[in-house]
Amino acid sequence: MMPASFAPLDYLSVDSSLTDVERDIRDAVRVFVRDRILPYVGEWFEQARLPVEIVRELGKLGILGMHLDGYGCAGTSATAYGLACLELEAGDSGIRSLVSVQGSLAMFAIHRWGSEEQKLEWLPRMAAGEAVGCFGLTEPDSGSDPGAMRTSARRDGPDWILRGRKMWITNGSIAEVAVVWARTDEGVRGFLVPKGTNGFRAQDIRKKLSLRASITSELILDDVRLPASAMLPGATSLRGPLACLNEARYGIVWGAAGAARACLEAALDYSTTRVQFGKPIASFQIQQQKLAAMALEVNRATVLAVHLGRLKDAGRLRPEQVSMGKLGNVNAALDVARAARQMLGANGISLEYPVIRHLANLESVVTYEGTADVHTLVIGGALTGIDAFR
Ligand code: TGC
Ligand code: FAD
């Protein structure tokens, strides 16, 4: 039987493959983005700020760490979490980033590698949006190669002393707790550094022209003394932080599809109403070709995200598959955003429309959580068995 109606933004009827619960969660996040993000985000982006109250609202919505079990987290499926990421990033990549860093990096690190005391202390407050977390892996001299990190932790009696710098850290200056990765005599270990600890400060990075509705900071650790209980007991090597990255990259697979959908929607709206040479520009073949190519990318990205979501829910998703999703969907979103920007003519560079904001944001998304080159080499390594990083 033919479906009752045809939805241009869901060309392949991906909706029909979702469960009722998944659709309900998706719809709730979509409404939140429509009411609480879209009317304001252009201004936040222009002013390079993020109202911190939004974190509590996201907590109330139940999406902070929603895919984790217990400790105040909702315990939803990975697919439902992905749908939330898609809707958030259709609003703005910065909002999805906030949620990714909170749930998939900071909370996930504590949930996966933390002690029972650490989980009880932080996770319920983080799920409620009462405490923000950040995740410090990148440093001024080590980005793609986190194994070269210099930040160190040494034992001093029962305590640890941390020294070093972390760079480009999302949520850094608003975080109540920073998950900081450091080299020790026993390998790379993770530490929970509460805001206000002596010797620890966060300084915002200014002059960003991308992800402006998101806080990005440098973390400075000058001989920060921490008790033994601050160390995450379960993470004993670089595998600790890298396992967290899979989670956040998975969210980006979905989020990128959302940014792309928002750009397609803007291009469809604009091209069917903008009249040149006596006709809506959508009536010219060259513009229809662009719209068709954009719709193809948006739908392909969404189908890929749903497929990876189902694999993750079945416990079968592999890191190299996440790499393919992140690489493919972010590149697709960039292509869609660039085409949409041109279709909007001069309005394509104005923050009155969402497209240039998405395009600028995606330049961060293609770099963080593993650059396009890094994911290309992960895929190449999986195909050939040859490591081309060194
Ligand atoms: P390599 O020798 O390959 O691995 C070291 C150990 O880690 C294990 N491993 C992984 N485990 C789980 N998931 C993964 N994806 C893993 N990748 C590697 C590996 O099995 C090994 O374990 P073990 O037990 O044998 O020791 O490490 P390498 O130094 O050669 O590096 C590999 C490479 C380049 C892929 C990795 O370093 C990498 O992914 N680099 C990119 C760094 C990156 O993505 N940083 C992101 C920082 S966080 C961020 O950007 C947040 S943005 C905000 C937002 O998300 O919105
Ligand atoms: P580099 O690693 O110096 O790379 C420079 C160029 O060299 C890139 O094109 C790269 O692809 C290429 N390259 C590097 N190695 C190779 C190789 N082996 N082969 C071929 N090409 C190579 N980090 C965190 O830890 N936490 C956060 O919350 C966080 N948030 C971020 C928010 C924003 C807005 C941004 C922009 C970044 C954020 N990052 C965060 C940092 C991000 O993860 C890094 O920027 C990223 O991993 C790349 O590192 P880099 O910038 O040092 O680039």
Side-chain angles (χ1 to χ4, degrees):
M1 206 174 73
M2 289 275 285
S5 62
F6 171 72
L9 294 174
D10 182 26
Y11 197 95
L12 294 178
S13 306
V14 173
D15 246 39
S16 62
S17 70
L18 304 178
T19 65
D20 289 344
V21 172
E22 288 165 352
R23 266 195 292 269
D24 286 349
I25 292 173
R26 190 269 319 272
D27 291 347
V29 180
R30 190 176 283 181
V31 167
F32 178 85
V33 169
R34 184 196 68 198
D35 296 345
R36 294 292 302 127
I37 305 295
L38 288 175
Y40 313 105
V41 70
E43 204 176 306
W44 299 340
F45 186 99
E46 190 171 10
Q47 297 168 357
R49 71 184 185 93
L50 179 73
V52 75
E53 316 82 75
I54 211 79
V55 184
R56 275 185 191 253
E57 294 182 39
L58 290 162
K60 282 210 182 79
L61 190 61
I63 60 176
L64 301 176
M66 66 190 266
H67 56 309
L68 303 176
D69 285 320
Y71 308 97
C73 305
T76 68
S77 69
T79 304
Y81 171 56
L83 287 159
C85 289
L86 186 151
E87 295 303 328
L88 290 169
E89 196 149 352
D92 191 85
S93 303
I95 308 298
R96 195 270 309 137
S97 254
L98 187 162
V99 170
S100 285
V101 169
Q102 178 84 346
S104 289
L105 291 178
M107 290 176 75
F108 180 85
I110 297 170
H111 195 272
R112 167 64 66 89
W113 306 122
S115 66
E116 191 58 22
E117 292 71 33
Q118 290 167 338
K119 293 180 199 182
L120 288 169
E121 179 178 1
W122 289 109
L123 294 178
R125 288 164 59 206
M126 293 171 85
E130 289 160 10
V132 176
C134 70
F135 183 90
L137 180 63
T138 304
E139 301 186 355
D141 296 326
S142 73
S144 300
D145 183 13
M149 74 175 71
R150 289 192 192 159
T151 297
S152 65
R154 66 178 166 82
R155 286 192 192 269
D156 184 38
D159 296 341
W160 287 95
I161 311 287
L162 263 67
R163 166 177 277 246
R165 296 274 184 281
K166 295 290 173 181
M167 195 65 182
W168 297 109
I169 306 305
T170 302
N171 297 348
S173 65
I174 57 166
E176 294 299 319
V177 62
V179 176
V180 173
W181 298 94
R183 58 172 59 258
T184 75
D185 289 343
E186 308 154 18
V188 170
R189 314 241 28 181
F191 295 86
L192 301 185
V193 186
K195 191 175 201 155
T197 306
N198 269 345
F200 172 55
R201 64 199 162 89
Q203 194 164 277
D204 284 342
I205 296 174
R206 310 270 175 212
K207 301 189 180 180
K208 282 185 301 168
L209 291 179
S210 168
L211 229 73
R212 285 172 63 80
S214 170
I215 288 154
T216 318
S217 317
E218 179 178 7
L219 306 184
I220 297 146
L221 301 124
D222 283 336
D223 290 333
V224 176
R225 180 176 290 274
L226 295 171
S229 60
M231 187 182 73
L232 297 171
T236 55
S237 73
L238 193 56
R239 205 165 69 80
L242 293 185
C244 303
L245 300 188
N246 293 330
E247 300 296 309
R249 290 168 179 173
Y250 167 78
I252 292 173
V253 172
W254 285 87
R261 188 193 71 195
C263 291
L264 169 62
E265 190 170 11
L268 266 175
D269 272 1
Y270 193 83
S271 61
T272 47
T273 50
R274 173 72 178 173
V275 174
Q276 289 293 286
F277 298 95
K279 289 177 178 172
I281 58 171
S283 60
F284 303 121
Q285 287 185 0
I286 203 165
Q287 303 302 337
Q288 289 200 5
Q289 185 184 38
K290 284 180 194 161
L291 290 168
M294 291 158 80
L296 174 63
E297 292 302 333
V298 169
N299 280 273
R300 195 151 48 184
T302 311
V303 169
L304 177 59
V306 173
H307 175 67
L308 295 188
R310 299 293 181 221
L311 283 181
K312 188 163 169 59
D313 281 326
R316 290 192 283 117
L317 183 61
R318 301 177 60 86
E320 56 271 27
Q321 294 171 328
V322 178
S323 281
M324 183 172 276
K326 201 256 177 186
L327 176 71
N329 280 11
V330 177
N331 280 343
L334 274 165
D335 287 346
V336 170
R338 278 192 202 108
R341 205 227 57 71
Q342 290 186 33
M343 286 184 73
L344 266 68
N347 283 320
I349 66 149
S350 167
L351 281 176
E352 296 290 335
Y353 294 82
V355 175
I356 189 72
R357 180 168 50 76
H358 282 298
L359 180 55
N361 284 340
L362 288 164
E363 292 293 343
S364 286
V365 181
V366 75
T367 290
Y368 66 34
E369 286 295 349
T371 66
D373 297 330
V374 162
H375 291 295
T376 300
L377 294 183
V378 168
I379 295 169
L383 290 172
T384 62
I386 301 168
D387 180 344
F389 281 106
R390 294 180 175 81

